[in-house]
Amino acid sequence: MVMISYKNLKRYRDIAHILIKYGFSFIVEKLNIEGVAYRIPITNPPEEIKAMSTGEKIRRVFEELGPTYVKLGQILSTRKDLLDQDIIDELSKLRDSVEEFSTYTAREIFIEELGLSVDDVFAEFNNEPMAAASIGQVYEAVLKSGEQVIVKIQRPNIEETIKSDLEILRTIVKGLKDLKKDIDIDLGQIIEEFQIQLLRELDYNFEAINAIKFKQMFKDSEMVYIPQVYSQFTTRRVLVMEKIIGVKLSDIDKINKMGWDTKAISEIGVKSFFKQVFEHGFFHADPHPGNIFVLNNRCISYIDFGMIGIIDKKTLNILNEVALAVIDKNVDKIMYLMMEIDAIDTEDEIAGIRQDLLYLIHYYYDVPLEKISIGDILNEIFRFFRTYKVTMPSQLATLAKTVITLEGTARELNPEFSVSSMGKEYIRYYYVNKFSPERIFLNSKNSMEEILLDLKTIPRQLRVILRNLEKNKVKINIEDIEVPRLETRIADLATQLSLSLVLASIVVGSSLIIASPNIEKNVWIKYMAIIGFSISFIIGILLVIKIFRTQYKKK
């Protein structure tokens, strides 16, 4: 039985009702939530709902559960490595569908955050919101200095609502821990990632920082323009950003009427994406047509920086190596690289993975490039991952989803867009970055820093080992060793060590006698030194023989 916080009891009941309504009563039964499970009758859903696909039922559940769950569904729609395509297709339809809250409330929140009224900051402020989303509302305004801006104001009490929903989700995941055996998905990890992303979206400072980074990234570019953030008017719940005057990328008809070259615009999008990934490891993770404006024939602008992706250099280098291994049809190298990023953690299905990978590469290798869809390839890879339970790092899942979205956007602009277009740009960026003098110098510098770090670390590690040895804190696990043989080996080592110590002592003693100034006064002292060296010579011979005999026995 799942123990719950009774302040959320009504919410648990709402969730149980909706799950039962769409035929997921088995989840309610498995949760067995105290105060909920036995008070809601388990009924069969109507025929209309029974006729729905599993993906559609899940989407409807998320929609009825509200903003937090809609966001969760949107994030899950990017995890093609975890869910089947029919569920992904349905979750991709999830859109923020919420009622507007009053502009009076929005103005009050603005005062709470900035200590200034809307009229103190703006010369004009449109009281009709231009958009209402699950997190906040967007207004058009004009600053006192004359700049046209958009103003995002967060919904009242949305943070408390979302945190309460997250607490419920964590409780539900604990109750469904046995379900992991059936679906092989780490629900806890998904909720953890979801919580981090959602809590960041609740703080508009994160979006502001992302926009500032992109502004710096494209400061010298004539092809990409990033709107300015007005940091002095931006807080956790308010964001003021330059308004972009242009045509939304989704409005293809208007772009064509303007006489702009859609093919050139699609190429700008691809080039800017690779610049983000290869040069900065920091990219816009939601480049759908609604988040990109066309300013003129040779310039686009990104908006909405709430969802970004980050990829580190090591992962990017491995990704590059995988791409080159695919070109060489080197399946063994691909397997090795997958193990490097811990994507494969079992030896049980290595043969099956290898065979399926080989088939996958050969299937697509000879297909004409203009007939290949990047989305199709990645979807096939995701199917492969699900089949063999390959773990995909979340940063790669985000990157793959972004590539699929980018390809779809590029094809809307240019129906002739093909994988070769993206492939050429990828190869150009790969080799320019790999072999540029700046990159070679940076890589050499990083390698030297790693070596220096190792040199600094090794003595400290040795000190720790020696300290543990001194305190007798070292444990040795011995398996499959014959004890008598081990005892004999230890006795041999002890004998050799004893002889070595005796030999060293006699040699040192004899040397001191030889060096003594009294050696010429007393002939017996000279004889003692000679006897000492003779004995040490004999012991040395015996020690050598002992060592050779031990080595012979080992063979």
Side-chain angles (χ1 to χ4, degrees):
M1 181 176 291
V2 177
M3 302 301 293
I4 65 171
S5 170
Y6 282 91
K7 67 179 180 180
N8 297 322
L9 183 58
K10 183 180 181 300
R11 184 59 170 157
Y12 278 108
R13 287 176 181 167
D14 292 340
I15 292 170
H17 273 294
I18 293 170
L19 288 172
I20 292 169
K21 173 183 175 181
Y22 286 97
F24 296 107
S25 56
F26 71 94
I27 295 179
V28 178
E29 291 172 339
K30 185 176 281 291
L31 285 171
N32 194 17
I33 300 173
E34 184 184 5
V36 175
Y38 299 114
R39 299 185 186 184
I40 299 174
I42 306 296
T43 57
N44 288 324
E47 292 301 319
E48 179 188 356
I49 291 177
K50 284 183 178 179
M52 293 178 183
S53 67
T54 302
E56 188 176 357
K57 290 177 186 176
I58 293 172
R59 174 174 63 82
R60 294 288 188 93
V61 167
F62 283 155
E63 285 175 341
E64 291 196 25
L65 286 174
T68 307
Y69 296 86
V70 168
K71 285 288 183 185
L72 174 59
Q74 289 172 346
I75 290 171
L76 285 173
S77 71
T78 69
R79 297 308 304 264
K80 297 193 175 191
D81 56 320
L82 300 178
L83 302 174
D84 292 330
Q85 189 60 41
D86 61 328
I87 297 176
I88 292 291
D89 291 340
E90 286 295 330
L91 293 180
S92 298
K93 298 175 185 177
L94 285 168
R95 293 289 179 268
D96 293 334
S97 180
V98 291
E99 294 181 359
E100 297 178 1
F101 62 94
S102 73
T103 299
Y104 174 81
T105 302
R107 285 172 170 263
E108 289 297 310
I109 292 171
F110 190 91
I111 293 174
E112 288 175 16
E113 289 296 303
L114 289 162
L116 298 169
S117 71
V118 166
D119 296 329
D120 290 334
V121 177
F122 304 107
E124 298 176 27
F125 187 86
N126 190 341
N127 287 316
E128 290 296 320
M130 62 185 295
S134 56
I135 301 294
Q137 259 172 210
V138 182
Y139 294 88
E140 295 174 301
V142 178
L143 289 170
K144 292 274 178 120
S145 51
E147 295 92 344
Q148 294 186 63
V149 295
I150 60 101
V151 184
K152 282 188 180 182
I153 300 178
Q154 197 172 107
R155 285 183 171 277
N157 305 317
I158 187 64
E159 186 170 352
E160 291 78 7
T161 301
I162 286 176
K163 285 182 176 178
S164 176
D165 278 340
L166 287 170
E167 181 183 337
I168 291 170
L169 276 170
R170 286 193 295 269
T171 303
I172 290 174
V173 166
K174 287 178 184 176
L176 294 176
K177 58 185 177 181
D178 293 335
L179 198 62
K180 185 179 184 297
K181 299 172 184 175
D182 302 323
I183 60 176
D184 201 59
I185 294 176
D186 190 342
L187 296 172
Q189 184 181 354
I190 291 173
I191 297 303
E192 187 68 27
E193 291 177 9
F194 169 60
Q195 175 178 305
I196 292 169
Q197 181 167 330
L198 194 52
L199 291 179
R200 282 179 179 172
E201 284 191 44
L202 283 172
D203 187 348
Y204 285 151
N205 286 313
F206 278 102
E207 184 173 348
I209 291 168
N210 292 338
I212 291 168
K213 284 184 177 179
F214 274 95
K215 186 78 172 175
Q216 181 67 19
M217 192 185 300
F218 291 103
K219 65 178 181 179
D220 299 321
S221 174
E222 296 180 356
M223 296 189 296
V224 177
Y225 182 80
I226 305 298
Q228 180 182 346
V229 172
Y230 293 90
S231 301
Q232 67 270 36
F233 304 125
T234 296
T235 68
R236 184 179 180 82
R237 300 169 68 198
V238 174
L239 172 64
V240 179
M241 185 181 291
E242 177 186 357
K243 181 183 177 182
I244 295 299
I245 309 296
V247 180
K248 275 194 175 183
L249 202 61
S250 54
D251 196 347
I252 305 296
D253 291 337
K254 190 170 182 180
I255 292 173
N256 288 328
K257 285 180 183 177
M258 298 291 289
W260 292 339
D261 186 349
T262 53
K263 182 179 179 181
I265 293 169
S266 69
E267 289 175 355
I268 291 172
V270 172
K271 288 178 180 178
S272 68
F273 171 72
F274 282 114
K275 177 182 177 67
Q276 295 166 48
V277 172
F278 278 94
E279 293 185 22
H280 302 277
F282 182 84
F283 57 93
H284 196 296
D286 196 19
H288 68 74
N291 280 342
I292 301 174
F293 277 77
V294 182
L295 304 187
N296 57 52
N297 198 41
R298 296 294 301 172
C299 186
I300 64 172
S301 176
Y302 290 95
I303 63 167
D304 195 347
F305 302 93
M307 188 178 292
I308 56 97
I310 297 173
I311 185 164
D312 61 87
K313 292 297 181 184
K314 179 182 177 182
T315 305
L316 189 59
N317 287 338
I318 289 176
L319 197 61
N320 292 334
E321 293 296 325
V322 169
L324 295 175
V326 169
I327 293 172
D328 293 336
K329 299 182 185 178
N330 190 339
V331 177
D332 292 321
K333 186 173 182 180
I334 296 172
M335 298 280 288
Y336 167 77
L337 293 167
M338 289 173 71
M339 290 178 182
E340 278 288 290
I341 58 173
D342 297 323
I344 302 174
D345 60 358
T346 176
E347 298 286 338
D348 298 337
E349 295 182 325
I350 292 293
I353 293 175
R354 190 180 187 284
Q355 188 64 33
D356 215 349
L357 259 179
L358 194 61
Y359 170 80
L360 196 63
I361 291 171
H362 280 274
Y363 179 81
Y364 282 103
Y365 199 83
D366 297 319
V367 177
L369 287 176
E370 64 274 8
K371 293 186 178 181
I372 294 178
S373 164
I374 296 171
D376 290 343
I377 295 174
L378 289 173
N379 286 332
E380 189 68 20
I381 291 171
F382 288 135
R383 180 204 61 76
F384 166 84
F385 282 175
R386 291 193 300 273
T387 300
Y388 291 103
K389 300 178 178 60
V390 174
T391 304
M392 189 177 195
S394 59
Q395 57 181 320
L396 286 184
T398 303
L399 179 64
K401 174 260 179 186
T402 305
V403 170
I404 292 172
T405 305
L406 183 66
E407 185 197 25
T409 302
R411 284 188 187 275
E412 285 187 31
L413 288 167
N414 175 21
E416 297 178 0
F417 179 84
S418 68
V419 69
S420 61
S421 307
M422 192 169 279
K424 288 174 183 174
E425 196 61 31
Y426 170 85
I427 290 169
R428 187 180 77 81
Y429 260 96
Y430 173 75
Y431 282 106
V432 166
N433 277 274
K434 188 174 180 67
F435 297 112
S436 68
E438 182 182 352
R439 179 62 58 185
I440 291 171
F441 173 76
L442 185 61
N443 288 338
S444 301
K445 177 175 172 288
N446 290 338
S447 297
M448 288 300 299
E449 286 177 352
E450 287 179 10
I451 292 169
L452 290 172
L453 185 62
D454 287 340
L455 289 174
K456 290 179 181 178
T457 305
I458 288 170
R460 184 171 66 252
Q461 292 172 337
L462 286 172
R463 281 199 300 272
V464 171
I465 293 170
L466 292 172
R467 193 177 298 118
N468 286 331
L469 282 169
E470 184 180 6
K471 295 179 179 179
N472 198 25
K473 289 184 178 180
V474 177
K475 295 181 180 179
I476 302 174
N477 294 324
I478 302 173
E479 298 177 358
D480 302 326
I481 297 178
E482 296 178 8
V483 175
R485 185 177 176 183
L486 180 61
E487 290 176 351
T488 303
R489 181 66 181 140
I490 292 173
D492 288 341
L493 287 172
T495 303
Q496 292 172 22
L497 183 61
S498 301
L499 288 172
S500 299
L501 290 172
V502 171
L503 174 63
S505 300
I506 294 174
V507 169
V508 170
S510 301
S511 299
L512 289 173
I513 292 172
I514 291 290
S516 173
N518 298 320
I519 192 169
E520 297 297 334
K521 297 178 182 179
N522 193 327
V523 69
W524 291 106
I525 294 177
K526 185 183 294 185
Y527 289 153
M528 284 179 64
I530 294 170
I531 292 169
F533 280 119
S534 300
I535 293 172
S536 65
F537 175 75
I538 294 169
I539 292 174
I541 295 295
L542 291 173
L543 185 60
V544 171
I545 293 171
K546 185 70 176 173
I547 292 171
F548 275 112
R549 285 184 62 187
T550 303
Q551 295 297 323
Y552 178 77
K553 286 179 182 179
K554 285 173 66 177
K555 294 179 182 180

